[in-house]
Amino acid sequence: MAIDGSHPGCFTHGSRLYAVPTTTGHSVPDTRESYIAAERVRRTRRRPRIHWTAIVGGVAGGLLIDLSAVNNAGVSDWLALAMMFALGGLVGFASAIGIRDAFVGRAPEPVVLRLPAVEIPGDVARLAPDDSTADELALWSLVTRRYRAAKVAVENLPFENDHGLFVSGPTTVAAPPSTEALASAELTYITARHDFEPVAELLGLPLPR
């Protein structure tokens, strides 16, 4: 049976499963609620909020430029007046927003921090023993994700092809990697692989080659 959101130390958010280690000092419900609140704030920020003063400013700007065109320049063409109204409306709209921000300021946006939790890879959740603790799931997940990230970093290092060019893909020419970068990536990968091997054996994950 795979580990899922019903585990006492885990919760799901969206399509992802998270473990809450006991060392965080936070409960699973509180951590889950922090993720929900952060998602709610993120969605709210996407919605543009237009204050009524901006609409009034836009209408006033359009009317003002039309009245000026009719009274001072004798413009009577409806199409020209409509275009000038739109232009004046844009100017008035932008001016109203700028003036309001200068004198009133923007309301501070709420800041919601997500409490610490560790995302569990799908294969780790599927192969983990049913009696696994949240701390074990978090540890196995961190080790697995660290190994996979280090492996990708090493695989993406530029290499020298048959033509003497360093490439980072089938056709992408790249600058030769520095000795320090190569050594650092290799050391990180070796360390991560060493830590991952016992986890892979325990869970039945493919062993590193």
Side-chain angles (χ1 to χ4, degrees):
M1 179 179 177
I3 301 295
D4 55 23
S6 63
H7 188 282
C10 301
F11 69 93
T12 55
H13 180 69
S15 59
R16 299 179 179 181
L17 179 65
Y18 296 87
V20 182
T22 57
T23 53
T24 64
H26 302 288
S27 66
V28 174
D30 289 344
T31 305
R32 180 176 60 246
E33 182 58 34
S34 72
Y35 274 65
I36 296 173
E39 178 69 16
R40 189 182 304 118
V41 170
R42 186 179 66 84
R43 290 180 178 178
T44 302
R45 288 175 179 170
R46 291 180 179 177
R47 304 172 187 168
R49 295 182 177 180
I50 301 176
H51 196 264
W52 64 268
T53 54
I55 299 176
V56 172
V59 174
L63 291 176
L64 182 63
I65 197 171
D66 269 6
L67 289 174
S68 177
V70 171
N71 295 331
N72 298 330
V75 177
S76 59
D77 182 70
W78 286 104
L79 180 59
L81 290 173
M83 294 178 63
M84 285 188 287
F85 181 86
L87 178 61
L90 288 175
V91 174
F93 183 84
S95 299
I97 293 177
I99 293 172
R100 185 174 187 277
D101 287 347
F103 286 93
V104 179
R106 293 180 180 270
E109 295 183 348
V111 177
V112 179
L113 298 178
R114 297 195 304 183
L115 297 178
V118 178
E119 183 180 348
I120 305 176
D123 50 358
V124 173
R126 185 173 61 255
L127 298 173
D130 295 342
D131 58 351
S132 303
T133 65
D135 291 336
E136 290 173 332
L137 292 169
L139 175 61
W140 298 335
S141 299
L142 288 173
V143 170
T144 301
R145 293 169 66 88
R146 178 169 171 259
Y147 161 71
R148 290 172 178 172
K151 182 180 179 182
V152 170
V154 169
E155 291 175 347
N156 288 338
L157 283 173
F159 60 92
E160 189 173 3
N161 62 11
D162 296 336
H163 303 287
L165 297 175
F166 282 89
V167 296
S168 58
T171 58
T172 304
V173 179
S178 65
T179 304
E180 292 79 5
L182 285 172
S184 176
E186 289 288 349
L187 179 60
T188 300
Y189 172 72
I190 292 172
T191 304
R193 184 182 64 185
H194 179 269
D195 294 338
F196 174 69
E197 286 176 349
V199 174
E201 291 180 357
L202 174 66
L203 300 181
L205 294 169
L207 290 171
R209 295 180 180 179

